[in-house]
Amino acid sequence: AVNSFRYFGYGQKSFESKILEETKFFNDAIETYKGRPFDFKQLITNSVSNITNLIIFGERFTYEDTDFQHMIELFSENVELAASASVFLYNAFPWIGILPFGKHQQLFRNAAVVYDFLSRLIEKASVNRKPQLPQHFVDAYLDEMDQGKNDPSSTFSKENLIFSVGELIIAGTETTTNVLRWAILFMA
């Protein structure tokens, strides 16, 4: 993942233009409120996530894409749920998982919805794939899967791709979004 992110420009000077382009979309979205108060969280989360999405999928999502909005909300909710006492209990005593109630059950339901959504995004991103000429992280991962398809010890699989994409989105979005939200609060 780290090599792919570097290969596709993350952390390099050439990537600044993509960040500046997303900043323009972010500013345009702010201007739609015409000075009225609004919650920054969704806009910041979208813009930060779009930077990661450019590397993962090779495209950004519009701020009006309700399916993507829903997935980001589920990611955020799962981050909060993962830090809850009942999920800590579940992690310590997995047999609690048989209980039909609890925050761990909501976490599992959210994860299933996100898993399905990410599966569809990955399929869409890989439609125009040219083997050994990766355009984004999904292509690079699929190339690695192809290379290791005859290796029984290979850990490259569709399921691991989906989990990797999800983890990259969470890691790249939640942390940076929270830093920017705190920065805006501090400046306000």
Side-chain angles (χ1 to χ4, degrees):
V2 171
N3 287 338
S4 290
F5 269 58
R6 280 194 195 125
Y7 178 79
F8 296 115
Y10 198 77
Q12 296 177 18
K13 191 104 173 133
S14 62
F15 204 67
E16 282 182 21
S17 63
K18 294 178 182 179
I19 294 171
L20 287 173
E21 182 181 353
E22 188 60 39
T23 303
K24 290 176 187 169
F25 287 114
F26 179 73
N27 287 336
D28 291 345
I30 289 174
E31 287 176 12
T32 63
Y33 290 96
K34 300 185 189 312
R36 295 185 315 267
F38 66 97
D39 184 3
F40 263 112
K41 183 181 180 188
Q42 182 183 4
L43 290 178
I44 291 174
T45 303
N46 284 345
S47 62
V48 169
S49 182
N50 272 332
I51 299 303
T52 306
N53 292 336
L54 285 170
I55 293 173
I56 295 173
F57 304 111
E59 68 175 303
R60 63 178 299 282
F61 296 91
T62 66
Y63 295 163
E64 295 80 28
D65 186 331
T66 56
D67 291 334
F68 187 72
Q69 296 300 324
H70 183 61
M71 186 192 70
I72 293 296
E73 288 169 13
L74 292 179
F75 271 135
S76 294
E77 184 178 341
N78 277 3
V79 168
E80 290 176 26
L81 289 171
S84 69
S86 64
V87 171
F88 279 120
L89 274 175
Y90 169 77
N91 287 334
F93 308 104
W95 54 266
I96 293 175
I98 63 171
L99 299 173
F101 54 86
K103 290 186 178 183
H104 62 283
Q105 294 295 350
Q106 182 63 42
L107 188 116
F108 295 148
R109 285 190 296 275
N110 289 355
V113 170
V114 169
Y115 185 92
D116 289 340
F117 183 75
L118 290 176
S119 293
R120 291 191 309 272
L121 282 180
I122 289 168
E123 288 301 317
K124 180 183 170 197
S126 63
V127 166
N128 296 322
R129 177 177 169 242
K130 294 178 183 89
Q132 302 308 316
L133 293 171
Q135 300 299 310
H136 43 73
F137 175 78
V138 171
D139 283 352
Y141 193 100
L142 292 172
D143 284 347
E144 290 293 329
M145 272 179 57
D146 289 348
Q147 288 177 0
K149 65 182 166 195
N150 295 325
D151 180 5
S153 64
S154 176
T155 58
F156 290 95
S157 67
K158 286 275 190 183
E159 185 175 49
N160 281 345
L161 172 57
I162 294 167
F163 289 131
S164 295
V165 165
E167 292 298 318
L168 288 169
I169 291 172
I170 289 173
T173 302
E174 285 296 317
T175 53
T176 308
T177 297
N178 287 334
V179 167
L180 290 173
R181 289 174 63 205
W182 276 108
I184 290 169
L185 179 63
F186 181 73
M187 287 188 295

